[in-house]
Amino acid sequence: MSLAKSPWIIHVNVNSCNGCDIEVVACLTPLYDAERFGVLNIGTPKQADIMVVTGSVNYKNVNVLKNLYNQIPDPKVVLAVGACASTGGIFHDCYNVVGGVDQVIPVDAYVPGCCPRPEAILDGVVAALSILENKKKGNIKGKEVKLKGNEVPSNA
Amino acid sequence: MNTNDILLAVLVLIGAPIIGCIASGIDRKITARLQGRVGPPLLQPYYDVKKLLSKDNMVVNPSQNFYVVVYLVFIVLSLLMLVFKQDFLMIIFVYTVASIALIVGGMSTGSPYARIGSSREIMAILSYEPVLILYALAIYLLTGTFKLSAVVDASSPLLVYTPLIFIAMIVVLNIKLKKSPFDYSTSHHGHQELVKGMTTEYGGPGFATIEIAHFYEYVFLTGLIFLFWASNPIIGVLLGIIAYLLIIVIDNITARVYWQWMLKLSWSVLLIISIVNIAFLYVSGVQLA
Ligand code: SF4
């Protein structure tokens, strides 16, 4: 139960239009008060449990995302917030966009919407908590994702 | 050492982190209320520590683990020395070793954030250490010894003769608890921030050790305030609690400033009022009865 009582999140912005980001930040304001669930927005991946990703991944930041994912100690879950992070959203057919976050790292929960409301994001965090507990019980480790060299779009 | 002493030591080892944990929870609760939020449960720091202990320990450098253990051990040692009324000068030195261990731990990771945090913590030590030494000097002038037993056994309180040093010590408490406006070396937990200074590269059990050491440190630092009215333990404890609440309020109504400002404040205002107090003690030659 201890994991569910103090979920610390790290917020990663990969190519987001900033719409989802301000909604994530809104969760932390006194109005929504995520801290009453023990949620803290931690700046360093080494202390985080939940990775909140916003925006579609592009070729420039693929390695950044993988690197941050590898630095989070187990057990960990990834929460894709917004249409972009889930599928690529309105940017899905841009020439530099890889697609949703799940193209690069394993995603455990999705929060759809463009942009999702802070309540929905908090719901997503709470959903991620039960996954986190299950991972803890089953001792499920996150996959180590390999960094690649300078990735280039396959159609370039 | 008789059985009573051993019992007291065990009591301190178990009781101090519990008190520290609740104090830290109260801090987060009050901070939340001042911002118009509900805030986390009172035992949130305990849940945090429990969770951190159950996670993977990821370190950049294996010696990081050693430094946090040194930090914890020396904090506990200084608290025990305080409880057993040992030499005050020695307590300050032991406490400094603990702070240095954390700084070296941060430096050893090579992360630029940890390095900046560590060098800022050195500035903090530079600014509060002279005040602590002057506090020790005041105790010496008043009792003729650095031993704390003389202060505790005296019938009149220390505060009557050292009001200016008391004010300086409140600021030192603020610097040492790393509350704003002096929280440059590591941002405190209730505050959501990007970079956590010295502790950036710690995670899991290593970070939990730092948190537990902080719990001990809370008790140790309020213990230093308690000494000002040690002749009547109830008033002494009240003094400690009031000082702690005051620091939470200061934390919430101030923003972070440059470290240069801290250094200027402590090396001018704090040192001068402490020296004025010492000069008064020296000239008047009062003794703690
Ligand atoms: S989902 Fe919408 S709001 Fe969020 S990053 Fe994409 S375009 Fe912006």
Side-chain angles (χ1 to χ4, degrees), chain B:
Chain B
M1 243 202 162
N2 53 28
T3 25
N4 264 351
D5 285 355
I6 295 171
L7 221 62
L8 183 62
V10 173
L11 198 70
V12 169
L13 282 182
I14 298 169
I18 295 176
I19 298 173
C21 176
I22 291 175
S24 160
I26 289 174
D27 171 19
R28 283 176 69 173
K29 201 82 190 166
I30 293 182
T31 303
R33 285 291 157 84
L34 286 177
Q35 296 171 358
R37 313 187 263 126
V38 180
L42 195 61
L43 287 182
Q44 187 63 43
Y46 165 71
Y47 301 139
D48 288 351
V49 165
K50 201 166 148 231
K51 176 205 72 179
L52 285 169
L53 283 174
S54 73
K55 293 205 61 158
D56 265 9
N57 194 14
M58 269 192 170
V59 284
V60 183
N61 180 342
S63 55
Q64 258 181 289
N65 292 328
F66 171 70
Y67 293 123
V68 283
V69 172
V70 171
Y71 175 57
L72 177 66
V73 166
F74 274 81
I75 291 273
V76 173
L77 198 64
S78 52
L79 178 63
L80 282 177
M81 285 170 75
L82 187 73
V83 172
F84 285 111
K85 305 175 216 162
Q86 294 299 307
D87 197 320
F88 190 56
L89 214 49
M90 203 64 206
I91 295 176
I92 295 175
F93 293 149
V94 171
Y95 183 56
T96 308
V97 172
S99 315
I100 299 283
L102 195 59
I103 290 172
V104 176
M107 283 282 189
S108 74
T109 61
S111 149
Y113 303 124
R115 288 203 163 188
I116 290 174
S118 301
S119 50
R120 284 175 174 182
E121 181 64 13
I122 293 175
M123 290 302 163
I125 292 187
L126 200 62
S127 55
Y128 74 74
E129 203 77 345
V131 179
L132 273 182
I133 301 283
L134 287 178
Y135 182 19
L137 188 61
I139 289 181
Y140 180 80
L141 284 176
L142 277 168
T143 61
T145 164
F146 281 116
K147 283 257 180 186
L148 285 181
S149 43
V151 176
V152 176
D153 297 338
S155 58
S156 53
L158 200 61
L159 183 57
V160 177
Y161 305 111
T162 57
L164 293 178
I165 289 184
F166 178 72
I167 295 171
M169 277 304 290
I170 295 277
V171 182
V172 168
L173 193 65
N174 205 330
I175 296 176
K176 251 344 269 182
L177 288 177
K178 302 192 182 69
K179 303 279 196 197
S180 59
F182 306 113
D183 55 345
Y184 347 76
S185 62
T186 150
S187 60
H188 196 255
H189 246 136
H191 310 177
Q192 286 104 14
E193 275 185 59
L194 273 180
V195 177
K196 299 211 75 72
M198 262 190 304
T199 57
T200 303
E201 296 300 324
Y202 285 101
F207 193 57
T209 317
I210 295 181
E211 285 291 295
I212 294 169
H214 276 157
F215 295 160
Y216 280 106
E217 204 174 356
Y218 277 37
V219 179
F220 171 73
L221 289 168
T222 37
L224 291 187
I225 300 293
F226 167 84
L227 284 181
F228 278 100
W229 211 298
S231 55
N232 185 343
I234 297 174
I235 301 182
V237 170
L238 271 181
L239 209 61
I241 292 174
I242 291 170
Y244 183 66
L245 293 180
L246 182 70
I247 278 163
I248 295 176
V249 174
I250 292 176
D251 182 28
N252 276 291
I253 59 175
T254 53
R256 188 172 307 164
V257 291
Y258 294 123
W259 60 263
Q260 286 94 333
W261 190 83
M262 167 177 70
L263 213 56
K264 278 179 198 153
L265 175 85
S266 54
W267 280 71
S268 57
V269 179
L270 298 189
L271 269 191
I272 286 173
I273 61 172
S274 303
I275 288 172
V276 165
N277 205 153
I278 296 279
F280 164 75
L281 293 180
Y282 187 74
V283 171
S284 66
V286 282
Q287 288 286 314
L288 212 56

